[in-house]
Amino acid sequence: MKVALERDWCIGAGNCALTAPAVFDQDPDDAVVVLLDDSPPESERTAVEEAIARCPSAVIRLLS
C-alpha cells in the first residue's frame, strides 16, 4: 500500500491523525498533516481508508 497527500491543501482538521495515528500526525506549528509512513503495512489499510473518507479537504490518496 502506498499513501500520498497534498500538504498545501490541508486545513488541519486532524481527522487523519485521530483515525490512523500510526500513519498520520499533525505539524505542531500549523496543524497541517504529516505523513509518518508513506508505505504502511496492510494492517493499517482500514484506518487509512477511514482517514481518507473523513478528510474534509480530500488531500489523502491511496495509490495502491
Side-chain angles (χ1 to χ4, degrees):
M1 171 171 56
K2 189 80 168 161
V3 179
L5 54 83
E6 293 292 336
R7 278 183 51 93
D8 293 340
W9 301 344
C10 178
I11 63 168
N15 294 337
C16 57
L18 292 172
T19 305
V23 181
F24 306 103
D25 199 357
Q26 285 183 279
D27 187 300
D29 295 325
D30 59 10
V32 171
V33 63
V34 174
L35 185 57
L36 300 175
D37 188 352
D38 68 350
S39 296
E42 261 319 294
S43 60
E44 292 294 324
R45 182 176 289 275
T46 300
V48 169
E49 289 174 345
E50 184 72 22
I52 291 168
R54 292 177 180 248
C55 179
S57 301
V59 302
I60 308 166
R61 293 187 324 267
L62 191 56
L63 302 177
S64 61

